[in-house]
């Protein structure tokens, strides 16, 4: 049976939003690492970054900065901040003291918040290479939600779970079944991304390019529906 993923379009009035997963080149953005996320305080930059690639979340909105409050900021997740700063080189990140953060400083800070940050970042880069729009999946019990285009126009197609070969009980079958049921109630499939690192220590991560040695394997989890299968064969 051929697999086709869900791509459900929303009913919305948005007409002019750039759904490209990569922001336009030439712009330079400035953010502050607050200890939890990277914050873009400039309203013009926040709107530009969110419109050109759907990055971040408004500090007072469910999606992009749309509350209309002048003090609303754009909050970037750790993975997308790292992608914009050290791979696209469009974002300058400073700490609360005003000191610029390089790759090693940001990597250490991110790992202090999430000890699986390197695995998540590898999966984020893998999904970006396939032109997915990526958002946090914590609301549905996963690591990421991925969209064909802008979340303004489409619902998420997959709930993404990141794991490693050593995660024997990170997602047991009963837990995976629960996540799958949550995903199915909102017309999503579950995508397991297994990250295989050649070395578990971070001594070989001196530069952003070092992640190219990490491999990512896809597994799509979908409950077999016998009735749908029979109907598809009868067509």
């Amino acid at each position: 049976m051929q697999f086709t993923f869900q791509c459900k379009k929303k009913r919305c009035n948005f007409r002019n939003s750039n759904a490209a997963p990569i922001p336009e080149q030439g712009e330079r953005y400035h953010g502050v690492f607050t200890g939890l996320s990277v914050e873009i305080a400039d309203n013009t930059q926040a709107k530009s970054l969110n419109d050109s690639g759907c990055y971040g979340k408004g500090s007072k909105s469910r999606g992009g900065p749309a509350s209309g409050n002048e003090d609303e900021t754009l909050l970037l997740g750790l993975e997308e901040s790292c992608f914009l700063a050290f791979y696209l080189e469009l974002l300058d990140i400073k700490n609360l003291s005003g000191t610029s953060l390089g790759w090693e400083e940001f990597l250490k800070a991110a790992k202090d918040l999430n000890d699986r940050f390197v695995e998540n970042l590898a999966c984020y880069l893998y999904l970006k290479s396939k032109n997915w729009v990526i958002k946090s999946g914590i609301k549905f019990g996963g690591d990421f939600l991925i969209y064909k285009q802008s979340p303004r126009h489409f619902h998420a197609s997959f709930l993404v779970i990141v794991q490693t070969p050593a995660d024997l009980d990170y997602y047991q079958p009963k837990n995976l079944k629960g996540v799958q049921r949550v995903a199915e109630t909102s017309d999503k499939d579950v995508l397991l991304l297994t990250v295989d690192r050649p070395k578990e220590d971070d001594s070989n991560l001196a530069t952003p390019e070092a992640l190219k040695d990490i491999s990512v394997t896809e597994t799509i989890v979908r409950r077999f529906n016998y009735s749908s299968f029979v109907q598809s064969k009868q067509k």
Side-chain angles (χ1 to χ4, degrees):
M1 183 171 61
Q2 184 178 6
F3 174 79
T4 55
F5 64 84
Q6 301 282 347
C7 189
K8 189 175 180 181
K9 199 167 186 178
K10 290 182 177 180
R11 295 180 179 178
C12 61
N13 297 321
F14 294 106
R15 292 290 180 268
N16 300 315
S17 67
N18 179 10
I22 304 297
E24 297 179 1
Q25 299 296 316
E27 186 75 33
R28 195 71 185 177
Y29 302 94
H30 303 278
V32 176
F33 179 61
T34 63
L36 295 174
S37 62
V38 174
E39 187 175 33
I40 309 293
D42 183 271
N43 291 335
T44 301
Q45 289 197 350
K47 185 178 185 307
S48 172
L49 191 56
N50 185 254
D51 288 345
S52 301
C54 308
Y55 292 93
K57 175 191 175 300
S59 59
K60 297 184 177 181
S61 305
R62 290 182 58 187
S67 69
N69 294 343
E70 293 184 358
D71 59 344
E72 182 173 25
T73 60
L74 184 71
L75 305 178
L76 299 174
L78 297 178
E79 294 83 12
E80 59 187 348
S81 299
C82 189
F83 175 66
L84 291 168
F86 304 110
Y87 290 91
L88 297 186
E89 298 182 347
L90 297 176
L91 174 66
D92 294 321
I93 303 176
K94 295 183 178 181
N95 59 21
L96 293 173
S97 301
T99 304
S100 296
L101 297 181
W103 163 257
E104 293 184 351
E105 292 85 3
F106 186 84
L107 182 63
K108 181 181 183 301
K111 283 181 62 63
D112 288 342
L113 289 173
N114 179 9
D115 57 3
R116 300 172 65 90
F117 173 74
V118 174
E119 288 79 7
N120 283 14
L121 177 60
C123 290
Y124 186 95
L125 297 174
Y126 174 80
L127 294 169
K128 273 299 179 185
S129 72
K130 295 180 175 292
N131 288 339
W132 287 102
V133 174
I134 309 170
K135 293 293 185 182
S136 171
I138 192 172
K139 179 179 178 181
F140 293 91
D143 293 291
F144 301 115
L145 291 174
I146 56 176
Y147 300 75
K148 176 185 177 182
Q149 292 185 23
S150 169
R152 294 177 179 178
H153 297 296
F154 289 88
H155 293 281
S157 298
F158 289 98
L159 173 63
V160 179
I161 306 294
V162 177
Q163 62 179 10
T164 69
D167 290 333
L168 298 179
D169 51 19
Y170 182 64
Y171 258 96
Q172 296 179 356
K174 64 178 182 179
N175 297 333
L176 183 59
K177 193 65 177 178
V179 172
Q180 185 186 12
R181 287 184 176 275
V182 171
E184 282 185 350
T185 59
S186 53
D187 291 330
K188 298 173 181 59
D189 290 307
V190 176
L191 177 62
L192 289 179
L193 294 183
T194 303
V195 181
D196 188 9
R197 297 179 60 182
K199 294 182 179 180
E200 290 300 322
D201 63 279
D202 293 336
S203 60
N204 62 331
L205 297 178
T207 63
E209 291 75 18
L211 268 72
K212 69 175 186 283
D213 296 327
I214 298 177
S215 63
V216 178
T217 305
E218 293 184 7
T219 303
I220 297 173
V221 181
R222 173 180 278 187
R223 183 164 56 94
F224 181 73
N225 189 318
Y226 179 78
S227 298
S228 298
F229 175 73
V230 172
Q231 292 173 5
S232 67
K233 290 299 182 181
Q234 292 175 346
K235 291 183 180 179

